[in-house]
Amino acid sequence: NSSVQISPTGTLVLRHFNLSGVYTCSIVYKLTAMQPDKNLIIKYLIYAYSDPKNYYEFTAQYHAAPCNSSHNTSFEKALLQILSKLVAEISCEITLIKSECHHVKMQRGGLQNEIFFTFSVASLDREKHNRLCQQSSCDASHRLNKAKHLIERFFKQQVEVSRKSSEPLPQIYYIEGTLQTVRVDHCYPGYGMNAQIHPDCPECC
């Protein structure tokens, strides 16, 4: 079994396992050729560690067309395409979590329509995408931070373009200052983080 080896000094080595639990090791041995077999059963409680899946979650608000308008749907598709293109070269992907249109009461402007977007950016596994990568710039965490920077810059540029333009604002536009970013460390089902039980790896799942 490639995941279990016994070293010449008698050390039991377990590799590439991903399930925590009680592992039973049973040994049959003889001290001398003349003696009967002896049995020894040892039980180990083994913890499997895995790195959390990190991603960034963004929320942003846009001034919108009336909530039942097809313009909002077209805009949503276009926005996701732009964001996806922005991070595709660094092997990251954008996922829309939710998009909601609401009538918002303004202090001086009466009711207005706003779209609340929530989306995430995560780095893709390079090995699964057949891209051999050795440099530090290929590290998943590095790529994820670069994607975050690109997205934040994209929203900042929208504000700068609106300020410089002498044209009236379009029907759908980004509301300055509404972009919020949260980093999420997500463990796979069955895993959790506990710094007290596992002080040697508090950030592991």
Side-chain angles (χ1 to χ4, degrees):
N1 187 334
S2 63
S3 63
V4 182
Q5 291 175 340
I6 297 171
S7 76
T9 57
T11 302
L12 181 67
V13 181
L14 290 152
R15 283 193 185 91
H16 310 301
F17 65 95
N18 56 10
L19 292 172
S20 301
V22 177
Y23 284 73
T24 303
C25 175
S26 104
I27 305 162
V28 179
Y29 66 98
K30 290 182 179 187
L31 290 170
T32 65
M34 302 299 289
Q35 284 189 327
D37 289 354
K38 290 197 172 193
N39 290 301
L40 178 63
I41 292 177
I42 304 169
K43 291 194 173 186
Y44 299 90
L45 178 59
I46 299 178
Y47 284 105
Y49 289 112
S50 87
D51 291 324
K53 172 87 174 163
N54 300 322
Y55 63 90
Y56 282 104
E57 195 170 288
F58 296 87
T59 53
Q61 286 165 242
Y62 275 78
H63 185 280
C67 284
N68 57 359
S69 170
S70 60
H71 291 296
N72 293 338
T73 313
S74 305
F75 176 80
E76 181 187 301
K77 282 180 186 171
L79 179 66
L80 287 172
Q81 280 177 346
I82 292 166
L83 292 171
S84 296
K85 215 176 218 179
L86 205 62
V87 300
E89 283 183 14
I90 48 172
S91 293
C92 288
E93 69 176 347
I94 297 282
T95 305
L96 179 68
I97 297 169
K98 67 178 174 183
S99 160
E100 295 173 341
C101 185
H102 295 284
H103 300 296
V104 179
K105 193 171 183 181
M106 308 305 289
Q107 279 183 332
R108 292 178 188 167
L111 280 173
Q112 74 174 30
N113 304 303
E114 287 184 15
I115 307 174
F116 292 73
F117 286 113
T118 305
F119 62 93
S120 68
V121 62
S123 54
L124 296 164
D125 189 340
R126 283 260 168 144
E127 288 170 23
K128 284 180 186 169
H129 288 75
N130 300 319
R131 294 190 185 179
L132 293 170
C133 226
Q134 302 301 326
Q135 308 120 357
S136 63
S137 62
C138 300
D139 172 63
S141 163
H142 178 89
R143 286 185 285 115
L144 188 59
N145 285 328
K146 193 171 179 182
K148 172 184 176 275
H149 173 72
L150 288 170
I151 291 164
E152 287 174 340
R153 194 174 72 181
F154 167 77
F155 282 93
K156 193 178 174 185
Q157 282 171 341
Q158 286 189 70
V159 174
E160 287 168 2
V161 168
S162 306
R163 281 181 182 169
K164 287 176 186 172
S165 175
S166 56
E167 297 289 317
L169 285 166
Q171 190 177 30
I172 303 173
Y173 62 87
Y174 168 63
I175 301 168
E176 185 179 348
T178 60
L179 183 72
Q180 302 289 320
T181 312
V182 178
R183 183 185 166 95
V184 181
D185 290 334
H186 177 71
C187 290
Y188 294 99
Y191 286 82
M193 290 183 192
N194 192 322
Q196 290 178 323
I197 295 177
H198 310 292
D200 51 332
C201 194
E203 290 173 14
C204 294
C205 292

